[in-house]
Each structure stands twice: as C-alpha cells, then as structure tokens.
C-alpha cells in the first residue's frame, strides 16, 4: 500500500482549487484559512471578493479527492484519506492508495 502525506499548503491549494470551481474564479483569487476545533473538527473559511464560505471535514476530503485526481493524476476513489493535526506541520492529510 502506497502512502502519501499532503502538507498544509497542499490542502490549502486543494481547497482553493475546489472553491474556485464553484465560484467560477481563478484559484489565486481565493483565500483560505484552515482551522481545527475539538467540537467542530476540521473547518476552513474560503474568501472571494470579501464573501466567506465555510467548509467542514467532508468538504476537505472532497477537495483533496479533486486535487488528487486533477493535480496528482491519481485515482482518488481508491484512496483512504485521513486528516490529522500535526504539532509542527499543522493540518496534514495522510493518503493511502
């Protein structure tokens, strides 16, 4: 089984790409802030032109799957994706194919 770790920056990139698709803007026009809360889990705020949308853990996984498909050219449906809060690296995604 192949393992891959996506960094916090890669997760931000994945959410920017995901959000840009739905807002019909360029990914560089999207600003994303990642957060973790014991009650809410992993969340993110995505901003475009001053408008904020909130993403939850399910959205993170969906965005990461899109990133794996389009940017890494891999089959995301065969991947097991687990988000993790790392002390030094921030929010990361452990991916197993």
């Amino acid at each position: 089984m192949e393992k891959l770790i996506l960094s916090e920056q890669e997760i931000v990139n994945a959410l920017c790409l995901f959000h840009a698709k739905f807002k019909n803007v360029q990914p560089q026009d999207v600003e994303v802030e990642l957060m973790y809360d014991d009650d809410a889990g992993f969340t993110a705020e995505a901003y475009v032109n001053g408008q904020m949308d909130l993403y939850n853990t399910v959205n993170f996984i969906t965005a990461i799957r899109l990133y794996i498909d389009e940017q890494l050219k891999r089959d995301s449906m065969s991947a097991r994706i687990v988000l993790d809060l790392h002390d030094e690296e921030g929010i990361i995604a452990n991916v197993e194919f």
Side-chain angles (χ1 to χ4, degrees), residues 66-81:
L66 180 69
Y67 181 82
I68 290 170
D69 288 339
E70 293 186 356
Q71 301 299 310
L72 303 181
K73 307 295 187 212
R74 301 287 304 264
D75 178 19
S76 69
M77 296 315 290
S78 66
R80 177 178 176 258
I81 302 169

Side-chain angles (χ1 to χ4, degrees), residues 13-89:
N13 293 348
L15 284 163
C16 285
L17 289 168
F18 184 74
H19 193 69
K21 278 189 174 275
F22 288 103
K23 294 295 182 176
N24 292 318
V25 297
Q26 295 298 311
Q28 58 267 23
D29 295 333
V30 179
E31 214 173 294
V32 170
E33 182 179 343
L34 304 180
M35 295 168 280
Y36 177 79
D37 178 75
D38 287 335
D39 294 327
F42 296 96
T43 59
E45 294 176 349
Y47 297 89
V48 173
N49 299 324
Q51 183 181 24
M52 188 268 292
D53 289 294
L54 187 64
Y55 286 102
N56 61 24
T57 303
V58 173
N59 302 127
F60 269 64
I61 301 300
T62 304
I64 290 168
R65 287 194 188 284
L66 180 69
Y67 181 82
I68 290 170
D69 288 339
E70 293 186 356
Q71 301 299 310
L72 303 181
K73 307 295 187 212
R74 301 287 304 264
D75 178 19
S76 69
M77 296 315 290
S78 66
R80 177 178 176 258
I81 302 169
V82 177
L83 296 172
D84 189 25
L85 183 60
H86 191 272
D87 288 340
E88 295 174 11
E89 297 176 32

